[in-house]
Amino acid sequence: QVQLVESGGGLVQAGGSLRLSCAASGRFFSIIAMGWYRQAPGKQRELVATITSGGTTSYADSVKGRFTISRDNAKNTVYLQMNSLKPEDTAVYYCNAVVVVAITPYKSFVSWGQGTQVTVSS
């Protein structure tokens, strides 16, 4: 079983910054990739950013140049530094991870955190 625990959400004024953290724990062999998604009220969950174990990153166009995803493999932790926040960034932010739980036979699955609220006031 894998647990993801997010922290760092809160209320911030437009133009401000927040840093989200997500730590993975439990029984697994490795984490292939970790990422952040968000879901605003009345909208579908959308990808924000992802990072592989090798450090390859990808971002939604709406956050490029403002958000930075990083990862500490030794701590099984992923971070999302959010700068120049806008009211439209308001959402519940979810951490996810693709984890390998068995080698023979190979088995992996996607785990999700509980989410952390980010509210940006105008």
PDB file of all heavy atoms in Angstrom, residues 75-103:
ATOM      1  N   LYS A  75      13.969  11.077  -0.787  1.00  0.00           N
ATOM      2  CA  LYS A  75      12.881  11.275   0.177  1.00  0.00           C
ATOM      3  C   LYS A  75      11.522  10.887  -0.400  1.00  0.00           C
ATOM      4  O   LYS A  75      10.504  11.037   0.276  1.00  0.00           O
ATOM      5  CB  LYS A  75      12.836  12.735   0.619  1.00  0.00           C
ATOM      6  CG  LYS A  75      14.061  13.189   1.396  1.00  0.00           C
ATOM      7  CD  LYS A  75      13.929  14.642   1.834  1.00  0.00           C
ATOM      8  CE  LYS A  75      15.134  15.094   2.634  1.00  0.00           C
ATOM      9  NZ  LYS A  75      15.018  16.520   3.049  1.00  0.00           N
ATOM     10  N   ASN A  76      11.510  10.403  -1.642  1.00  0.00           N
ATOM     11  CA  ASN A  76      10.246  10.057  -2.306  1.00  0.00           C
ATOM     12  C   ASN A  76       9.246  11.211  -2.211  1.00  0.00           C
ATOM     13  O   ASN A  76       8.059  11.015  -1.909  1.00  0.00           O
ATOM     14  CB  ASN A  76       9.641   8.788  -1.700  1.00  0.00           C
ATOM     15  CG  ASN A  76      10.485   7.567  -1.978  1.00  0.00           C
ATOM     16  OD1 ASN A  76      11.008   7.392  -3.084  1.00  0.00           O
ATOM     17  ND2 ASN A  76      10.649   6.725  -0.970  1.00  0.00           N
ATOM     18  N   THR A  77       9.742  12.396  -2.470  1.00  0.00           N
ATOM     19  CA  THR A  77       8.944  13.612  -2.318  1.00  0.00           C
ATOM     20  C   THR A  77       8.995  14.438  -3.590  1.00  0.00           C
ATOM     21  O   THR A  77      10.052  14.560  -4.215  1.00  0.00           O
ATOM     22  CB  THR A  77       9.451  14.448  -1.133  1.00  0.00           C
ATOM     23  OG1 THR A  77       9.338  13.679   0.065  1.00  0.00           O
ATOM     24  CG2 THR A  77       8.642  15.725  -0.977  1.00  0.00           C
ATOM     25  N   VAL A  78       7.839  14.985  -3.944  1.00  0.00           N
ATOM     26  CA  VAL A  78       7.749  15.883  -5.097  1.00  0.00           C
ATOM     27  C   VAL A  78       7.262  17.233  -4.605  1.00  0.00           C
ATOM     28  O   VAL A  78       6.480  17.321  -3.643  1.00  0.00           O
ATOM     29  CB  VAL A  78       6.814  15.302  -6.184  1.00  0.00           C
ATOM     30  CG1 VAL A  78       5.380  15.202  -5.687  1.00  0.00           C
ATOM     31  CG2 VAL A  78       6.883  16.119  -7.461  1.00  0.00           C
ATOM     32  N   TYR A  79       7.754  18.284  -5.252  1.00  0.00           N
ATOM     33  CA  TYR A  79       7.410  19.651  -4.872  1.00  0.00           C
ATOM     34  C   TYR A  79       6.822  20.386  -6.069  1.00  0.00           C
ATOM     35  O   TYR A  79       7.131  20.073  -7.218  1.00  0.00           O
ATOM     36  CB  TYR A  79       8.647  20.407  -4.392  1.00  0.00           C
ATOM     37  CG  TYR A  79       9.410  19.704  -3.294  1.00  0.00           C
ATOM     38  CD1 TYR A  79      10.499  18.893  -3.595  1.00  0.00           C
ATOM     39  CD2 TYR A  79       9.035  19.855  -1.965  1.00  0.00           C
ATOM     40  CE1 TYR A  79      11.202  18.237  -2.599  1.00  0.00           C
ATOM     41  CE2 TYR A  79       9.729  19.204  -0.960  1.00  0.00           C
ATOM     42  CZ  TYR A  79      10.818  18.394  -1.281  1.00  0.00           C
ATOM     43  OH  TYR A  79      11.496  17.753  -0.285  1.00  0.00           O
ATOM     44  N   LEU A  80       5.999  21.364  -5.775  1.00  0.00           N
ATOM     45  CA  LEU A  80       5.488  22.253  -6.824  1.00  0.00           C
ATOM     46  C   LEU A  80       5.630  23.684  -6.326  1.00  0.00           C
ATOM     47  O   LEU A  80       4.906  24.096  -5.413  1.00  0.00           O
ATOM     48  CB  LEU A  80       4.027  21.943  -7.165  1.00  0.00           C
ATOM     49  CG  LEU A  80       3.461  22.733  -8.342  1.00  0.00           C
ATOM     50  CD1 LEU A  80       4.149  22.298  -9.652  1.00  0.00           C
ATOM     51  CD2 LEU A  80       1.950  22.551  -8.455  1.00  0.00           C
ATOM     52  N   GLN A  81       6.575  24.398  -6.889  1.00  0.00           N
ATOM     53  CA  GLN A  81       6.755  25.807  -6.567  1.00  0.00           C
ATOM     54  C   GLN A  81       5.867  26.609  -7.499  1.00  0.00           C
ATOM     55  O   GLN A  81       6.008  26.533  -8.725  1.00  0.00           O
ATOM     56  CB  GLN A  81       8.217  26.229  -6.747  1.00  0.00           C
ATOM     57  CG  GLN A  81       8.482  27.704  -6.476  1.00  0.00           C
ATOM     58  CD  GLN A  81       8.250  28.083  -5.024  1.00  0.00           C
ATOM     59  OE1 GLN A  81       8.671  27.361  -4.124  1.00  0.00           O
ATOM     60  NE2 GLN A  81       7.574  29.197  -4.810  1.00  0.00           N
ATOM     61  N   MET A  82       4.949  27.356  -6.932  1.00  0.00           N
ATOM     62  CA  MET A  82       3.980  28.112  -7.718  1.00  0.00           C
ATOM     63  C   MET A  82       4.212  29.604  -7.488  1.00  0.00           C
ATOM     64  O   MET A  82       4.059  30.088  -6.362  1.00  0.00           O
ATOM     65  CB  MET A  82       2.556  27.730  -7.309  1.00  0.00           C
ATOM     66  CG  MET A  82       2.279  26.227  -7.412  1.00  0.00           C
ATOM     67  SD  MET A  82       0.559  25.801  -7.076  1.00  0.00           S
ATOM     68  CE  MET A  82       0.452  26.211  -5.337  1.00  0.00           C
ATOM     69  N   ASN A  83       4.608  30.292  -8.527  1.00  0.00           N
ATOM     70  CA  ASN A  83       4.851  31.732  -8.467  1.00  0.00           C
ATOM     71  C   ASN A  83       3.849  32.470  -9.348  1.00  0.00           C
ATOM     72  O   ASN A  83       3.210  31.872 -10.213  1.00  0.00           O
ATOM     73  CB  ASN A  83       6.277  32.044  -8.928  1.00  0.00           C
ATOM     74  CG  ASN A  83       7.332  31.403  -8.049  1.00  0.00           C
ATOM     75  OD1 ASN A  83       7.147  31.230  -6.853  1.00  0.00           O
ATOM     76  ND2 ASN A  83       8.462  31.051  -8.659  1.00  0.00           N
ATOM     77  N   SER A  84       3.751  33.768  -9.134  1.00  0.00           N
ATOM     78  CA  SER A  84       2.850  34.609  -9.926  1.00  0.00           C
ATOM     79  C   SER A  84       1.458  33.992 -10.009  1.00  0.00           C
ATOM     80  O   SER A  84       0.863  33.890 -11.088  1.00  0.00           O
ATOM     81  CB  SER A  84       3.420  34.810 -11.344  1.00  0.00           C
ATOM     82  OG  SER A  84       4.702  35.383 -11.291  1.00  0.00           O
ATOM     83  N   LEU A  85       0.946  33.607  -8.878  1.00  0.00           N
ATOM     84  CA  LEU A  85      -0.343  32.926  -8.843  1.00  0.00           C
ATOM     85  C   LEU A  85      -1.471  33.843  -9.302  1.00  0.00           C
ATOM     86  O   LEU A  85      -1.453  35.058  -9.062  1.00  0.00           O
ATOM     87  CB  LEU A  85      -0.623  32.402  -7.438  1.00  0.00           C
ATOM     88  CG  LEU A  85       0.141  31.107  -7.102  1.00  0.00           C
ATOM     89  CD1 LEU A  85       0.211  30.906  -5.595  1.00  0.00           C
ATOM     90  CD2 LEU A  85      -0.525  29.921  -7.778  1.00  0.00           C
ATOM     91  N   LYS A  86      -2.449  33.221  -9.960  1.00  0.00           N
ATOM     92  CA  LYS A  86      -3.607  33.934 -10.491  1.00  0.00           C
ATOM     93  C   LYS A  86      -4.870  33.348  -9.863  1.00  0.00           C
ATOM     94  O   LYS A  86      -4.877  32.183  -9.455  1.00  0.00           O
ATOM     95  CB  LYS A  86      -3.679  33.759 -12.004  1.00  0.00           C
ATOM     96  CG  LYS A  86      -2.429  34.187 -12.752  1.00  0.00           C
ATOM     97  CD  LYS A  86      -2.557  33.860 -14.245  1.00  0.00           C
ATOM     98  CE  LYS A  86      -1.302  34.256 -15.007  1.00  0.00           C
ATOM     99  NZ  LYS A  86      -1.420  33.926 -16.453  1.00  0.00           N
ATOM    100  N   PRO A  87      -5.947  34.134  -9.828  1.00  0.00           N
ATOM    101  CA  PRO A  87      -7.203  33.591  -9.287  1.00  0.00           C
ATOM    102  C   PRO A  87      -7.640  32.300  -9.992  1.00  0.00           C
ATOM    103  O   PRO A  87      -8.215  31.411  -9.345  1.00  0.00           O
ATOM    104  CB  PRO A  87      -8.199  34.731  -9.516  1.00  0.00           C
ATOM    105  CG  PRO A  87      -7.353  35.960  -9.449  1.00  0.00           C
ATOM    106  CD  PRO A  87      -6.057  35.570 -10.102  1.00  0.00           C
ATOM    107  N   GLU A  88      -7.333  32.176 -11.266  1.00  0.00           N
ATOM    108  CA  GLU A  88      -7.734  30.964 -11.994  1.00  0.00           C
ATOM    109  C   GLU A  88      -6.898  29.743 -11.602  1.00  0.00           C
ATOM    110  O   GLU A  88      -7.192  28.630 -12.055  1.00  0.00           O
ATOM    111  CB  GLU A  88      -7.656  31.185 -13.509  1.00  0.00           C
ATOM    112  CG  GLU A  88      -6.351  31.761 -14.011  1.00  0.00           C
ATOM    113  CD  GLU A  88      -6.417  33.284 -14.173  1.00  0.00           C
ATOM    114  OE1 GLU A  88      -6.987  33.970 -13.285  1.00  0.00           O
ATOM    115  OE2 GLU A  88      -5.885  33.770 -15.195  1.00  0.00           O
ATOM    116  N   ASP A  89      -5.893  29.916 -10.780  1.00  0.00           N
ATOM    117  CA  ASP A  89      -5.148  28.774 -10.249  1.00  0.00           C
ATOM    118  C   ASP A  89      -5.845  28.161  -9.035  1.00  0.00           C
ATOM    119  O   ASP A  89      -5.409  27.114  -8.535  1.00  0.00           O
ATOM    120  CB  ASP A  89      -3.733  29.195  -9.841  1.00  0.00           C
ATOM    121  CG  ASP A  89      -2.878  29.622 -11.018  1.00  0.00           C
ATOM    122  OD1 ASP A  89      -2.929  28.951 -12.065  1.00  0.00           O
ATOM    123  OD2 ASP A  89      -2.148  30.624 -10.879  1.00  0.00           O
ATOM    124  N   THR A  90      -6.907  28.804  -8.571  1.00  0.00           N
ATOM    125  CA  THR A  90      -7.647  28.286  -7.426  1.00  0.00           C
ATOM    126  C   THR A  90      -8.226  26.916  -7.731  1.00  0.00           C
ATOM    127  O   THR A  90      -8.928  26.740  -8.730  1.00  0.00           O
ATOM    128  CB  THR A  90      -8.778  29.255  -7.037  1.00  0.00           C
ATOM    129  OG1 THR A  90      -8.199  30.488  -6.591  1.00  0.00           O
ATOM    130  CG2 THR A  90      -9.636  28.660  -5.933  1.00  0.00           C
ATOM    131  N   ALA A  91      -7.916  25.943  -6.881  1.00  0.00           N
ATOM    132  CA  ALA A  91      -8.351  24.564  -7.102  1.00  0.00           C
ATOM    133  C   ALA A  91      -7.872  23.709  -5.945  1.00  0.00           C
ATOM    134  O   ALA A  91      -7.061  24.151  -5.119  1.00  0.00           O
ATOM    135  CB  ALA A  91      -7.790  24.027  -8.410  1.00  0.00           C
ATOM    136  N   VAL A  92      -8.360  22.479  -5.930  1.00  0.00           N
ATOM    137  CA  VAL A  92      -7.761  21.466  -5.069  1.00  0.00           C
ATOM    138  C   VAL A  92      -6.646  20.808  -5.876  1.00  0.00           C
ATOM    139  O   VAL A  92      -6.875  20.350  -7.000  1.00  0.00           O
ATOM    140  CB  VAL A  92      -8.784  20.414  -4.618  1.00  0.00           C
ATOM    141  CG1 VAL A  92      -8.097  19.339  -3.778  1.00  0.00           C
ATOM    142  CG2 VAL A  92      -9.915  21.076  -3.831  1.00  0.00           C
ATOM    143  N   TYR A  93      -5.458  20.775  -5.314  1.00  0.00           N
ATOM    144  CA  TYR A  93      -4.296  20.209  -5.991  1.00  0.00           C
ATOM    145  C   TYR A  93      -4.038  18.809  -5.448  1.00  0.00           C
ATOM    146  O   TYR A  93      -3.940  18.609  -4.230  1.00  0.00           O
ATOM    147  CB  TYR A  93      -3.077  21.105  -5.780  1.00  0.00           C
ATOM    148  CG  TYR A  93      -3.120  22.336  -6.653  1.00  0.00           C
ATOM    149  CD1 TYR A  93      -4.044  23.352  -6.422  1.00  0.00           C
ATOM    150  CD2 TYR A  93      -2.252  22.480  -7.735  1.00  0.00           C
ATOM    151  CE1 TYR A  93      -4.095  24.474  -7.237  1.00  0.00           C
ATOM    152  CE2 TYR A  93      -2.294  23.595  -8.556  1.00  0.00           C
ATOM    153  CZ  TYR A  93      -3.219  24.586  -8.301  1.00  0.00           C
ATOM    154  OH  TYR A  93      -3.277  25.699  -9.113  1.00  0.00           O
ATOM    155  N   TYR A  94      -3.921  17.867  -6.380  1.00  0.00           N
ATOM    156  CA  TYR A  94      -3.712  16.477  -6.024  1.00  0.00           C
ATOM    157  C   TYR A  94      -2.337  16.012  -6.502  1.00  0.00           C
ATOM    158  O   TYR A  94      -1.937  16.283  -7.639  1.00  0.00           O
ATOM    159  CB  TYR A  94      -4.772  15.587  -6.676  1.00  0.00           C
ATOM    160  CG  TYR A  94      -6.170  15.847  -6.215  1.00  0.00           C
ATOM    161  CD1 TYR A  94      -6.989  16.750  -6.876  1.00  0.00           C
ATOM    162  CD2 TYR A  94      -6.691  15.165  -5.114  1.00  0.00           C
ATOM    163  CE1 TYR A  94      -8.282  16.990  -6.455  1.00  0.00           C
ATOM    164  CE2 TYR A  94      -7.992  15.393  -4.690  1.00  0.00           C
ATOM    165  CZ  TYR A  94      -8.780  16.305  -5.362  1.00  0.00           C
ATOM    166  OH  TYR A  94     -10.061  16.536  -4.938  1.00  0.00           O
ATOM    167  N   CYS A  95      -1.685  15.278  -5.645  1.00  0.00           N
ATOM    168  CA  CYS A  95      -0.419  14.642  -5.996  1.00  0.00           C
ATOM    169  C   CYS A  95      -0.708  13.235  -6.511  1.00  0.00           C
ATOM    170  O   CYS A  95      -1.652  12.577  -6.038  1.00  0.00           O
ATOM    171  CB  CYS A  95       0.454  14.573  -4.740  1.00  0.00           C
ATOM    172  SG  CYS A  95       1.953  13.600  -4.904  1.00  0.00           S
ATOM    173  N   ASN A  96       0.070  12.791  -7.500  1.00  0.00           N
ATOM    174  CA  ASN A  96      -0.066  11.405  -7.907  1.00  0.00           C
ATOM    175  C   ASN A  96       1.304  10.806  -8.185  1.00  0.00           C
ATOM    176  O   ASN A  96       2.275  11.534  -8.425  1.00  0.00           O
ATOM    177  CB  ASN A  96      -1.054  11.286  -9.069  1.00  0.00           C
ATOM    178  CG  ASN A  96      -0.451  11.076 -10.433  1.00  0.00           C
ATOM    179  OD1 ASN A  96       0.658  11.499 -10.738  1.00  0.00           O
ATOM    180  ND2 ASN A  96      -1.204  10.397 -11.290  1.00  0.00           N
ATOM    181  N   ALA A  97       1.356   9.498  -8.111  1.00  0.00           N
ATOM    182  CA  ALA A  97       2.627   8.808  -8.333  1.00  0.00           C
ATOM    183  C   ALA A  97       2.365   7.469  -9.008  1.00  0.00           C
ATOM    184  O   ALA A  97       1.400   6.777  -8.680  1.00  0.00           O
ATOM    185  CB  ALA A  97       3.353   8.575  -7.009  1.00  0.00           C
ATOM    186  N   VAL A  98       3.220   7.135  -9.960  1.00  0.00           N
ATOM    187  CA  VAL A  98       3.193   5.818 -10.594  1.00  0.00           C
ATOM    188  C   VAL A  98       4.252   4.988  -9.888  1.00  0.00           C
ATOM    189  O   VAL A  98       5.449   5.270 -10.004  1.00  0.00           O
ATOM    190  CB  VAL A  98       3.487   5.914 -12.099  1.00  0.00           C
ATOM    191  CG1 VAL A  98       3.427   4.524 -12.723  1.00  0.00           C
ATOM    192  CG2 VAL A  98       2.515   6.861 -12.782  1.00  0.00           C
ATOM    193  N   VAL A  99       3.795   3.996  -9.152  1.00  0.00           N
ATOM    194  CA  VAL A  99       4.711   3.228  -8.300  1.00  0.00           C
ATOM    195  C   VAL A  99       4.813   1.786  -8.763  1.00  0.00           C
ATOM    196  O   VAL A  99       3.836   1.201  -9.244  1.00  0.00           O
ATOM    197  CB  VAL A  99       4.269   3.278  -6.825  1.00  0.00           C
ATOM    198  CG1 VAL A  99       4.320   4.696  -6.307  1.00  0.00           C
ATOM    199  CG2 VAL A  99       2.873   2.712  -6.649  1.00  0.00           C
ATOM    200  N   VAL A 100       6.011   1.232  -8.600  1.00  0.00           N
ATOM    201  CA  VAL A 100       6.246  -0.183  -8.889  1.00  0.00           C
ATOM    202  C   VAL A 100       6.168  -0.937  -7.565  1.00  0.00           C
ATOM    203  O   VAL A 100       6.932  -0.654  -6.643  1.00  0.00           O
ATOM    204  CB  VAL A 100       7.630  -0.402  -9.540  1.00  0.00           C
ATOM    205  CG1 VAL A 100       7.866  -1.886  -9.783  1.00  0.00           C
ATOM    206  CG2 VAL A 100       7.715   0.369 -10.862  1.00  0.00           C
ATOM    207  N   VAL A 101       5.225  -1.881  -7.489  1.00  0.00           N
ATOM    208  CA  VAL A 101       5.030  -2.616  -6.240  1.00  0.00           C
ATOM    209  C   VAL A 101       5.487  -4.061  -6.313  1.00  0.00           C
ATOM    210  O   VAL A 101       5.560  -4.746  -5.283  1.00  0.00           O
ATOM    211  CB  VAL A 101       3.558  -2.557  -5.778  1.00  0.00           C
ATOM    212  CG1 VAL A 101       3.176  -1.116  -5.442  1.00  0.00           C
ATOM    213  CG2 VAL A 101       2.632  -3.118  -6.864  1.00  0.00           C
ATOM    214  N   ALA A 102       5.778  -4.534  -7.520  1.00  0.00           N
ATOM    215  CA  ALA A 102       6.285  -5.907  -7.683  1.00  0.00           C
ATOM    216  C   ALA A 102       7.165  -5.955  -8.913  1.00  0.00           C
ATOM    217  O   ALA A 102       6.935  -5.238  -9.893  1.00  0.00           O
ATOM    218  CB  ALA A 102       5.137  -6.895  -7.806  1.00  0.00           C
ATOM    219  N   ILE A 103       8.192  -6.802  -8.838  1.00  0.00           N
ATOM    220  CA  ILE A 103       9.118  -6.942  -9.965  1.00  0.00           C
ATOM    221  C   ILE A 103       8.804  -8.182 -10.790  1.00  0.00           C
ATOM    222  O   ILE A 103       8.792  -8.132 -12.017  1.00  0.00           O
ATOM    223  CB  ILE A 103      10.565  -6.992  -9.457  1.00  0.00           C
ATOM    224  CG1 ILE A 103      10.887  -5.719  -8.654  1.00  0.00           C
ATOM    225  CG2 ILE A 103      11.533  -7.176 -10.601  1.00  0.00           C
ATOM    226  CD1 ILE A 103      10.787  -4.452  -9.442  1.00  0.00           C
TER     227      ILE A 103
END
